Amino acid sequence: MMRLGTTSYIYPADMLTNIEKIVRSAPVIRDIELLAFESAKDLSDLPTPKEIERLCELAADHDLTYTVHLPMDLRLAGPQAEIAQAVAVIKHFEAVCPVAYITHLAAEDSPDFAQWLDCSLRSVGEILTASDVCERFCVETLETHTEEMLSALASEFPCPLCVDVGHFWAMALDPLPFLRRRLERAKVIHIHGVGRRDHKSLGLMPIETLTPTAKFIQERFDGVLTIEVFNKADLMESLEVLSRLWGDAVA
């Protein structure tokens, strides 16, 4: 059964305060994407052992699961791949038993597709060997990925995908063809509206654009669907939009 999620930065507060507020204000949420922000070089920004213990308590008390988004500043698709940093973050969060670890393989890390693919495959392979999280390590589809890169992610990598449909919309592309072909590879789906910027309320999306994708996900997907927004207003409006589309599925 699909679990509806959101991020650990909905309120301007720390991770634990966010989760405590989210479970009260939006009890339909069943997964929290723990954001590791800009901490690839310095792990001091990650939760302390005591905070990790509290994350586990919150999960048990509120039927929560977690996904973990690895730091945005990790460089894994270029010659100077930061493997050790990625593995350190993964091991730091293992106590909360994440459903998935999500990472970017940025197109801008390498000058051409061949180098990007070679470096990315090497990085992912080394991370999986060092951390043993193959079935939970997900590569996210990005708005900078070319069609060639998206095809390679879906067919050549030994790990699941995090399909970010908002990134497709940001490129003015329909995510449905990719979802229909590759749904069995998706462990996590990110959804968010696109206005002047992405990661905004789903209320910004034309209903004729949102409805087919949202209905397909509701009917066919049984992983984690993360409403990837970063404030309460965008989260609540997005939940209202999905409630109108899905009815009792959001309650």
Side-chain angles (χ1 to χ4, degrees), residues 79-187:
Q80 305 300 319
E82 297 169 321
I83 307 299
Q85 293 94 321
V87 173
V89 175
I90 289 170
K91 290 185 176 180
H92 190 90
F93 279 102
E94 266 295 85
V96 306
C97 302
V99 172
Y101 293 96
I102 298 162
T103 196
H104 290 178
L105 296 174
E108 55 268 29
D109 285 359
S110 292
D112 56 53
F113 171 73
Q115 186 183 62
W116 174 89
L117 181 60
D118 181 65
C119 292
S120 296
L121 284 170
R122 185 183 306 117
S123 294
V124 169
E126 290 183 20
I127 291 168
L128 296 182
T129 297
S131 60
D132 193 28
V133 292
C134 184
E135 296 303 317
R136 295 181 290 139
F137 188 79
C138 300
V139 178
E140 182 175 349
T141 60
L142 305 176
E143 68 273 23
T144 54
H145 284 156
T146 64
E147 185 174 341
E148 195 174 25
M149 289 174 174
L150 291 171
S151 178
L153 289 176
S155 61
E156 300 193 39
F157 282 74
C159 56
L161 291 176
C162 169
V163 180
D164 191 313
V165 301
H167 289 159
F168 280 85
W169 288 330
M171 293 187 289
L173 296 175
D174 181 359
L176 264 180
F178 187 85
L179 282 173
R180 289 192 179 107
R181 292 194 309 271
R182 308 297 188 180
L183 188 66
E184 77 284 353
R185 302 276 287 114
K187 192 175 189 70

Side-chain angles (χ1 to χ4, degrees), residues 6-10 13-15 18-19 22 32-35:
T6 193
T7 73
S8 64
Y9 193 78
I10 295 300
D14 62 86
M15 185 181 288
N18 264 271
I19 297 171
I22 289 167
I32 304 290
E33 181 185 33
L34 304 179
L35 301 171

Side-chain angles (χ1 to χ4, degrees), residues 30-65:
R30 286 289 175 264
D31 185 273
I32 304 290
E33 181 185 33
L34 304 179
L35 301 171
F37 286 125
E38 308 283 330
S39 54
K41 309 293 191 303
D42 181 4
L43 300 184
S44 65
D45 286 342
L46 298 182
T48 65
K50 190 168 184 177
E51 289 169 334
I52 290 285
E53 185 177 340
R54 179 60 180 149
L55 287 172
C56 294
E57 290 173 356
L58 286 166
D61 291 345
H62 299 281
D63 186 26
L64 284 177
T65 54

Side-chain angles (χ1 to χ4, degrees), residues 6 10-11 21-22 24-29 201 227 229 231-244:
T6 193
I10 295 300
Y11 298 90
K21 288 188 173 185
I22 289 167
R24 291 196 300 269
S25 61
V28 69
I29 295 298
S201 167
I227 302 172
V229 297
N231 63 66
K232 182 181 178 181
D234 283 347
L235 173 61
M236 293 306 180
E237 186 174 36
S238 296
L239 288 172
E240 289 175 9
V241 170
L242 292 178
S243 181
R244 290 196 295 270

Side-chain angles (χ1 to χ4, degrees), residues 183-201:
L183 188 66
E184 77 284 353
R185 302 276 287 114
K187 192 175 189 70
V188 180
I189 293 177
H190 288 172
I191 193 167
H192 46 91
V194 178
R196 291 181 181 177
R197 298 177 59 186
D198 58 357
H199 298 285
K200 297 297 183 182
S201 167

